[in-house]
Amino acid sequence: MSDEKKVSSKNMLEKIMTVIKVESRFLSEAIMDSSGTRIFKQEIEEAKANLKLAKSALTSEMANELQSSRRVKILTQKASQQESLIVDALAQNNEKLAFNLATALVDLEQDRDAQLVIQRTHDLHLGHLKRQMELAERSLKDLERQLAMVNTTDRIQKATEVITKRFDTADAKMLSAKKTLDRIRKQQQQRDEQYLIEDNLLESGEDKSDIKVEKGSATDVLKRLVDKD
Amino acid sequence: MNTEDFAIRLSQYRTAEGYTFDCQTIAGEVEVLQVEVNGFEGFPIFVTKTKFQIICIIYLWTEAEIIPESRVEMLEMMLDTSISIPLSSYARVGDRYVLFGALSVDSGLDKVVEEIVTLNENAIDVVSAMGDFLYE
């Protein structure tokens, strides 16, 4: 139990190295089956669920923030309209109306300030949720990267089995690099020699036989026609 | 892109240097594509895909091919030179030494082609350079 605990606190690369040391180099199945990997998969599921929650909390908080900032805007507009009404009333020496309007303005401003406080709270909360979401994204990416190490190890080992099986039956030499290199060198040498021969032919003019146009004489033409008769 | 689609697109591709590619899927527990570069004698390249990566592999040599007295020197030489080799790195799978390149699974075809051509050229240099550590 304590061993299992020790294993699960290691990162995936450390786990892979432990298994290489202790078991064998064909380790993928051992790791894939280990409780550590199961815990990893479980953690990934949890991280995904957390992320989903964080996202839905974030969207609802964004809606709240939008709503309260809209309210603040409306109340600010109303207050400034009220101010100009008061200025008008004062200009008409209607002090009673101005006083009533001013009383209503006090209420409006109180409402606006209260809304501002709410908006700021939503802002702060929104920032907090964004950070939480980023942290959830980060831990999910990290868990997936670690799991990818085992999956890649497994994949490559299986691919190697598939490939070597094929070449063991077909052409074992295909996978021997030195033999391949010899083959490559021979092919290159042959090609170089071929080029050399072609170049020499071009230079010496010997290849003209391929494209030589013989110029016959008039006598030849007459002879040919006479023979034809 | 699945392996068949990838094989078809790669078979129709021609690089600026005039290289074309022969592709063959190898059936088995996992999908592997065997690629050979036409117009360039080289090694068979094996391409396989995981969730995050496209991995291109050339099999170099096995433990049995290494001259035992040279083994440590060879391993050190591989470590010392690995970073100098463009786009490719060494690894060992079971008892086989490999040269490989890994790309993001979202890489475009031209990136994969670049990887394949470079890997092939690198492998020829590596086997020439490390040849002395191996049995004839």
Side-chain angles (χ1 to χ4, degrees):
Chain A
M1 187 67 204
S2 69
D3 273 356
E4 209 168 83
K5 225 177 179 180
K6 236 185 264 165
V7 168
S8 68
S9 66
K10 287 176 177 171
N11 73 35
M12 203 44 97
L13 193 60
E14 287 171 319
K15 275 186 216 175
I16 291 172
M17 284 165 67
T18 308
V19 181
I20 287 175
K21 276 183 207 152
V22 177
E23 312 219 356
S24 75
R25 272 184 268 114
F26 280 92
L27 57 118
S28 53
E29 269 159 42
I31 294 187
M32 292 297 268
D33 293 343
S34 78
S35 62
T37 308
R38 278 200 298 279
I39 292 167
F40 252 86
K41 284 183 177 160
Q42 204 179 315
E43 281 178 14
I44 286 177
E45 287 313 309
E46 279 166 21
K48 276 184 181 163
N50 283 341
L51 193 62
K52 212 174 158 189
L53 281 177
K55 274 185 182 160
S56 88
L58 190 71
T59 39
S60 85
E61 197 57 21
M62 278 163 86
N64 288 340
E65 202 273 345
L66 197 70
Q67 210 170 29
S68 63
S69 75
R70 215 177 274 150
R71 277 194 196 127
V72 168
K73 207 175 157 190
I74 291 167
L75 288 168
T76 309
Q77 272 173 352
K78 274 191 180 166
S80 93
Q81 280 168 359
Q82 195 82 351
E83 274 175 14
S84 43
L85 288 176
I86 293 169
V87 172
D88 287 349
L90 287 173
Q92 289 160 16
N93 287 323
N94 192 342
E95 281 185 14
K96 196 179 174 203
L97 179 62
F99 185 80
N100 287 341
L101 288 169
T103 313
L105 178 61
V106 170
D107 287 345
L108 266 178
E109 283 180 339
Q110 247 177 358
D111 273 2
R112 185 199 57 196
D113 291 345
Q115 262 326 308
L116 266 174
V117 172
I118 292 169
Q119 194 199 349
R120 262 181 223 131
T121 315
H122 284 315
D123 258 350
L124 281 174
H125 198 199
L126 205 58
H128 172 73
L129 285 174
K130 267 186 190 156
R131 274 192 298 282
Q132 271 203 323
M133 199 185 66
E134 285 165 356
L135 285 176
E137 290 274 17
R138 242 182 255 186
S139 72
L140 181 62
K141 273 267 156 61
D142 186 51
L143 288 167
E144 284 183 331
R145 186 181 57 83
Q146 303 233 17
L147 195 62
M149 284 191 207
V150 200
N151 288 336
T152 305
T153 312
D154 183 52
R155 179 96 190 171
I156 297 303
Q157 287 186 349
K158 284 192 176 133
T160 302
E161 278 168 42
V162 168
I163 292 159
T164 49
K165 208 180 283 168
R166 175 190 163 88
F167 282 101
D168 280 347
T169 50
D171 183 3
K173 284 175 197 151
M174 276 296 276
L175 288 186
S176 165
K178 243 190 151 177
K179 287 187 180 104
T180 307
L181 190 67
D182 287 344
R183 184 168 50 82
I184 292 167
R185 284 197 173 134
K186 265 184 205 139
Q187 279 169 342
Q188 272 173 347
Q189 203 183 338
Q190 275 175 0
R191 209 179 42 201
D192 289 349
E193 280 166 7
Q194 186 63 35
Y195 286 155
L196 201 68
I197 291 167
E198 284 170 15
D199 286 351
N200 286 340
L201 280 175
L202 268 175
E203 273 170 26
S204 66
E206 277 175 41
D207 74 316
K208 278 184 188 156
S209 58
D210 286 343
I211 48 163
K212 193 154 55 184
V213 179
E214 280 182 42
K215 194 181 177 207
S217 66
T219 329
D220 287 339
V221 173
L222 287 175
K223 189 173 180 287
R224 198 180 71 216
L225 291 174
V226 170
D227 284 353
K228 215 178 176 183
D229 265 358
Chain B
M1 211 188 322
N2 67 36
T3 310
E4 273 83 24
D5 287 342
F6 178 74
I8 291 167
R9 286 184 57 199
L10 189 58
S11 302
Q12 293 164 344
Y13 198 94
R14 188 183 174 92
T15 71
E17 300 88 2
Y19 295 138
T20 54
F21 305 89
D22 276 345
C23 301
Q24 212 180 338
T25 46
I26 303 178
E29 200 178 341
V30 295
E31 273 195 328
V32 181
L33 192 66
Q34 183 184 335
V35 182
E36 273 165 71
V37 184
N38 292 317
F40 189 101
E41 294 88 356
F43 300 89
I45 296 144
F46 299 96
V47 181
T48 193
K49 211 161 70 173
T50 69
K51 196 177 169 196
F52 296 103
Q53 301 178 90
I54 298 169
I55 301 177
C56 308
I57 306 178
I58 286 178
Y59 290 86
L60 296 173
W61 54 78
T62 61
E63 286 288 356
E65 290 174 72
I66 305 166
I67 300 166
E69 304 83 65
S70 308
R71 191 170 173 276
V72 172
E73 197 189 339
M74 181 202 81
L75 292 173
E76 285 189 349
M77 199 55 84
M78 287 169 83
L79 269 181
D80 290 339
T81 56
S82 189
I83 205 163
S84 313
I85 304 171
L87 302 182
S88 315
S89 314
Y90 295 111
R92 186 172 60 178
V93 186
D95 65 345
R96 289 181 186 277
Y97 288 77
V98 304
L99 194 70
F100 77 101
L103 301 94
S104 161
V105 80
D106 302 321
S107 304
L109 187 64
D110 52 340
K111 292 282 167 248
V112 185
V113 166
E114 184 188 5
E115 180 65 50
I116 288 171
V117 172
T118 313
L119 187 63
N120 203 10
E121 291 168 342
N122 289 339
I124 291 174
D125 290 351
V126 163
V127 178
S128 300
M130 302 284 176
D132 290 346
F133 301 122
L134 307 172
Y135 285 121
E136 281 306 316

